[in-house]
Amino acid sequence: MSLANRDLITIDDFSNQEIEAVLSLADEMAGSIRKQSGLCQGMVMASLFFEPSTRTRLSFEAAMNRLGGRVISVVEMSNTSLAKGESIADMARVVGSYADIIVIRHPWEGAAQVVADYAEVPVINAGDGGHEHPTQTLCDLYTLKKERQTLEGLKIALWGDLKYGRTVHSLAYALARFGADIHFRPSPGLELPEHVVRKLTTEYSGMLERYNGSEDMKIEGLFPLDAVYITPSGPHQLANIPAVGIQIEMEKGVDALYVTRLQKERIEAGAGGDELYYPVVDKKLLREKRFEETIVMHPLPRVDELAYEIDADPRSMYFKQAQRGVPIRMALIALLLGAKQAAVPEGKRPSRVIKKAYTVYKRSTGLLCLNKNCVSRQETETRYIKPRFQIVSKNPLTLRCVYCEHEIHPRYIASSKWHQGIVERKRYYSADSSMLRRIQPENLIIFDSEDIAQARGFKPAKKAFRGKAKKR
Ligand code: NCD
């Protein structure tokens, strides 16, 4: 199986088998890191880091050097023509003509997707704002597999800033796909974003049970339990676990505690952040019986959330996770450059795309992504990016931005078919009316406000305007 010329923008760009192939090649390379220098000779990797980074950038660059390739790099936006007002698309076209592969980290959600859309070479997302960080997930999965042999049936607690922490978004999707159970323990106010919850509950086969506000789920020294995600391969179905059962589940502990830093840089752009409850993982916590067998993971950098006193504890995995970034990225680069083929486990057919195929809404009817940090909202990029959305649900009408995946819920719809040039027949309807089901996707017109609909010559429909979709 070849992964040559593929992009890795979200973890869902790779099937489970493709992820396993990367992990197994990384494992092979980890044993002979100094013997791989013939693989990518003559190739160039562009390393574009427009946000601070130590591990990710240096491990990518070390990986390409270990493979015998060369690296060209940018570490600050102010040193590039982006500072002169150049668009990401133009930069991508040009850099793609200098290098054989591009690695990009950027503060805007969806920026890596734009680079992939415009560069002719493989593109790897090394973190795009608060959206995703798929290569960190590869390092995390590799560590879990090394320490626990399997991912299926593991119980992982995601801990801390689940709202802005991009590593936890990619990791949650991957854990769900590989059949692990997830305990979400966010700092109050920093819960998993709605669009991540929707993906977990509608695109993967597990179930999510929320425990919001449930006082008995708050235990001293821990973040409160917000939700539990259980995959069908897990030992239980949620329906069988009432709150008391969950409490007992909690007492049994988890296989891994995945701790994250408060993403201050992104919170400042949003709201709050000053008086957050943020307990520290320290010796005292790890002495609890339920954590006896729990490994502690963290993508790093740490600030105050992990006490230095636990570094020597054999359960602490964070430096190993970072160290494993080099063979993981060596394997990934070698595969995307076609210098290696991916090994498919015996008897398994390679499955390519795991992304669900939704209808994409592309009409220019004034819809905008509401996420101000989305690449589609930036002044330099609106010159060429037309907002596009996947229609992920019709009840209620829910559109997902193709760049940052945030969702919008527009309120009015119309059909391009019915008016057939006769102005009198141009009607718009409420998005929750039964008309939504009757309009063919290719004819669907969506508006965010009545003003916009009327400005385009549509009149409110008398019938079926506010009526709810009829239940069948
Ligand atoms: C993470 C990131 O950049 O998202 N760091 C990393 O790449 N290892 C986590 C973080 O910055 O908190």
Side-chain angles (χ1 to χ4, degrees), residues 11-16 19 172-179 204 354:
I11 195 68
D12 286 349
D13 285 329
F14 281 11
S15 68
N16 286 14
I19 290 174
Y173 299 143
L175 291 174
R177 284 169 45 190
F178 278 100
Y204 313 116
I354 81 118

Side-chain angles (χ1 to χ4, degrees), residues 51-53 55-56 105 126-127 129 132-133 136 164-167 260-263 265-266 298-302 329:
E51 252 193 358
S53 171
R55 272 151 297 276
T56 309
R105 168 171 289 190
E132 282 214 37
H133 192 347
Q136 178 62 46
Y164 297 106
R166 55 195 171 199
T167 63
T260 58
R261 163 184 79 87
L262 180 65
Q263 306 286 298
E265 65 278 34
R266 282 187 266 286
H298 191 304
L300 298 180
R302 77 168 131 190
R329 289 170 174 124

Side-chain angles (χ1 to χ4, degrees), residues 23 136-158 170-172 174-176 178-182 254-258 293-298 315 317 320-321 324 328:
L23 304 190
Q136 178 62 46
T137 294
L138 295 175
C139 302
D140 301 338
L141 297 178
Y142 184 43
T143 295
L144 284 167
K145 269 203 121 169
K146 289 293 269 184
E147 306 304 323
R148 289 287 185 269
Q149 285 69 52
T150 179
L151 298 169
E152 198 173 323
L154 288 186
K155 238 186 288 169
I156 315 291
L158 301 183
S170 302
L171 181 59
L175 291 174
F178 278 100
D181 295 345
I182 313 170
V254 288
D255 293 285
L257 200 57
Y258 190 92
E293 308 273 320
T294 303
I295 59 171
V296 181
M297 298 173 70
H298 191 304
R315 291 167 291 180
M317 287 295 144
K320 276 195 184 161
Q321 266 167 281
R324 288 168 177 157
I328 281 287

